[in-house]
PDB file of all heavy atoms in Angstrom:
ATOM      1  N   ARG A  67      34.622  61.006  12.352  1.00  0.00           N
ATOM      2  CA  ARG A  67      34.307  61.562  13.616  1.00  0.00           C
ATOM      3  C   ARG A  67      33.233  60.761  14.358  1.00  0.00           C
ATOM      4  O   ARG A  67      33.059  60.879  15.588  1.00  0.00           O
ATOM      5  CB  ARG A  67      33.830  63.018  13.511  1.00  0.00           C
ATOM      6  CG  ARG A  67      35.037  63.882  13.130  1.00  0.00           C
ATOM      7  CD  ARG A  67      34.633  65.321  12.974  1.00  0.00           C
ATOM      8  NE  ARG A  67      34.177  65.850  14.252  1.00  0.00           N
ATOM      9  CZ  ARG A  67      33.503  66.958  14.357  1.00  0.00           C
ATOM     10  NH1 ARG A  67      33.177  67.671  13.295  1.00  0.00           N
ATOM     11  NH2 ARG A  67      33.045  67.401  15.528  1.00  0.00           N
ATOM     12  N   GLY A  69      33.205  57.507  14.265  1.00  0.00           N
ATOM     13  CA  GLY A  69      33.865  56.266  14.593  1.00  0.00           C
ATOM     14  C   GLY A  69      34.210  56.092  16.061  1.00  0.00           C
ATOM     15  O   GLY A  69      34.166  57.083  16.824  1.00  0.00           O
ATOM     16  N   LYS A  70      34.638  54.944  16.472  1.00  0.00           N
ATOM     17  CA  LYS A  70      34.916  54.707  17.877  1.00  0.00           C
ATOM     18  C   LYS A  70      36.318  55.183  18.275  1.00  0.00           C
ATOM     19  O   LYS A  70      36.576  55.472  19.456  1.00  0.00           O
ATOM     20  CB  LYS A  70      34.828  53.203  18.175  1.00  0.00           C
ATOM     21  CG  LYS A  70      33.377  52.647  18.229  1.00  0.00           C
ATOM     22  CD  LYS A  70      33.405  51.213  18.610  1.00  0.00           C
ATOM     23  CE  LYS A  70      31.990  50.702  18.665  1.00  0.00           C
ATOM     24  NZ  LYS A  70      31.944  49.303  19.052  1.00  0.00           N
ATOM     25  N   HIS A  72      38.308  57.709  16.835  1.00  0.00           N
ATOM     26  CA  HIS A  72      38.722  59.055  16.451  1.00  0.00           C
ATOM     27  C   HIS A  72      38.976  59.894  17.731  1.00  0.00           C
ATOM     28  O   HIS A  72      38.179  59.780  18.698  1.00  0.00           O
ATOM     29  CB  HIS A  72      37.669  59.742  15.641  1.00  0.00           C
ATOM     30  CG  HIS A  72      38.110  60.974  14.903  1.00  0.00           C
ATOM     31  ND1 HIS A  72      38.083  62.186  15.501  1.00  0.00           N
ATOM     32  CD2 HIS A  72      38.670  61.160  13.690  1.00  0.00           C
ATOM     33  CE1 HIS A  72      38.568  63.076  14.649  1.00  0.00           C
ATOM     34  NE2 HIS A  72      38.934  62.445  13.526  1.00  0.00           N
ATOM     35  N   PRO A  73      40.081  60.666  17.815  1.00  0.00           N
ATOM     36  CA  PRO A  73      40.304  61.414  19.079  1.00  0.00           C
ATOM     37  C   PRO A  73      39.224  62.409  19.389  1.00  0.00           C
ATOM     38  O   PRO A  73      39.045  62.735  20.592  1.00  0.00           O
ATOM     39  CB  PRO A  73      41.650  62.102  18.772  1.00  0.00           C
ATOM     40  CG  PRO A  73      41.928  61.940  17.360  1.00  0.00           C
ATOM     41  CD  PRO A  73      41.090  60.823  16.801  1.00  0.00           C
ATOM     42  N   GLU A  74      38.559  62.992  18.423  1.00  0.00           N
ATOM     43  CA  GLU A  74      37.503  63.966  18.667  1.00  0.00           C
ATOM     44  C   GLU A  74      36.156  63.339  18.292  1.00  0.00           C
ATOM     45  O   GLU A  74      35.309  64.003  17.636  1.00  0.00           O
ATOM     46  CB  GLU A  74      37.721  65.252  17.922  1.00  0.00           C
ATOM     47  CG  GLU A  74      38.931  65.995  18.395  1.00  0.00           C
ATOM     48  CD  GLU A  74      39.042  67.369  17.746  1.00  0.00           C
ATOM     49  OE1 GLU A  74      38.073  67.794  17.072  1.00  0.00           O
ATOM     50  OE2 GLU A  74      40.086  67.987  17.906  1.00  0.00           O
ATOM     51  N   ARG A  75      35.960  62.120  18.679  1.00  0.00           N
ATOM     52  CA  ARG A  75      34.733  61.424  18.271  1.00  0.00           C
ATOM     53  C   ARG A  75      33.467  62.060  18.916  1.00  0.00           C
ATOM     54  O   ARG A  75      33.568  62.637  19.982  1.00  0.00           O
ATOM     55  CB  ARG A  75      34.794  59.934  18.613  1.00  0.00           C
ATOM     56  CG  ARG A  75      34.818  59.622  20.098  1.00  0.00           C
ATOM     57  CD  ARG A  75      34.927  58.147  20.312  1.00  0.00           C
ATOM     58  NE  ARG A  75      35.076  57.857  21.721  1.00  0.00           N
ATOM     59  CZ  ARG A  75      36.237  57.744  22.336  1.00  0.00           C
ATOM     60  NH1 ARG A  75      37.363  57.915  21.669  1.00  0.00           N
ATOM     61  NH2 ARG A  75      36.316  57.466  23.640  1.00  0.00           N
ATOM     62  N   ILE A  76      32.398  61.897  18.242  1.00  0.00           N
ATOM     63  CA  ILE A  76      31.104  62.392  18.739  1.00  0.00           C
ATOM     64  C   ILE A  76      30.414  61.296  19.517  1.00  0.00           C
ATOM     65  O   ILE A  76      30.221  60.191  18.969  1.00  0.00           O
ATOM     66  CB  ILE A  76      30.255  62.866  17.535  1.00  0.00           C
ATOM     67  CG1 ILE A  76      30.979  63.985  16.801  1.00  0.00           C
ATOM     68  CG2 ILE A  76      28.896  63.390  18.051  1.00  0.00           C
ATOM     69  CD1 ILE A  76      30.270  64.426  15.534  1.00  0.00           C
ATOM     70  N   MET A  77      30.113  61.535  20.772  1.00  0.00           N
ATOM     71  CA  MET A  77      29.556  60.516  21.648  1.00  0.00           C
ATOM     72  C   MET A  77      28.093  60.764  21.925  1.00  0.00           C
ATOM     73  O   MET A  77      27.636  61.923  21.875  1.00  0.00           O
ATOM     74  CB  MET A  77      30.359  60.447  22.926  1.00  0.00           C
ATOM     75  CG  MET A  77      31.784  60.051  22.700  1.00  0.00           C
ATOM     76  SD  MET A  77      32.820  60.282  24.186  1.00  0.00           S
ATOM     77  CE  MET A  77      32.035  59.261  25.355  1.00  0.00           C
ATOM     78  N   ARG A 139      29.766  68.956  23.747  1.00  0.00           N
ATOM     79  CA  ARG A 139      30.325  67.607  23.649  1.00  0.00           C
ATOM     80  C   ARG A 139      30.124  66.868  24.978  1.00  0.00           C
ATOM     81  O   ARG A 139      30.390  67.362  26.062  1.00  0.00           O
ATOM     82  CB  ARG A 139      31.839  67.714  23.382  1.00  0.00           C
ATOM     83  CG  ARG A 139      32.540  66.411  23.180  1.00  0.00           C
ATOM     84  CD  ARG A 139      33.982  66.653  22.818  1.00  0.00           C
ATOM     85  NE  ARG A 139      34.143  67.393  21.559  1.00  0.00           N
ATOM     86  CZ  ARG A 139      34.113  66.842  20.384  1.00  0.00           C
ATOM     87  NH1 ARG A 139      33.845  65.534  20.279  1.00  0.00           N
ATOM     88  NH2 ARG A 139      34.276  67.562  19.311  1.00  0.00           N
ATOM     89  N   ARG A 142      34.627  64.263  27.617  1.00  0.00           N
ATOM     90  CA  ARG A 142      35.755  65.183  27.885  1.00  0.00           C
ATOM     91  C   ARG A 142      35.581  66.491  27.131  1.00  0.00           C
ATOM     92  O   ARG A 142      34.830  66.588  26.173  1.00  0.00           O
ATOM     93  CB  ARG A 142      37.054  64.538  27.516  1.00  0.00           C
ATOM     94  CG  ARG A 142      37.129  64.157  26.070  1.00  0.00           C
ATOM     95  CD  ARG A 142      38.318  63.229  25.941  1.00  0.00           C
ATOM     96  NE  ARG A 142      37.896  62.124  25.095  1.00  0.00           N
ATOM     97  CZ  ARG A 142      38.243  62.003  23.839  1.00  0.00           C
ATOM     98  NH1 ARG A 142      39.101  62.816  23.321  1.00  0.00           N
ATOM     99  NH2 ARG A 142      37.841  60.990  23.110  1.00  0.00           N
TER     100      ARG A 142
END
Side-chain angles (χ1 to χ4, degrees):
R67 290 181 63 196
K70 288 184 178 180
H72 196 272
E74 291 186 13
R75 67 180 174 270
I76 301 173
M77 297 170 58
R139 183 178 299 278
R142 61 195 135 106

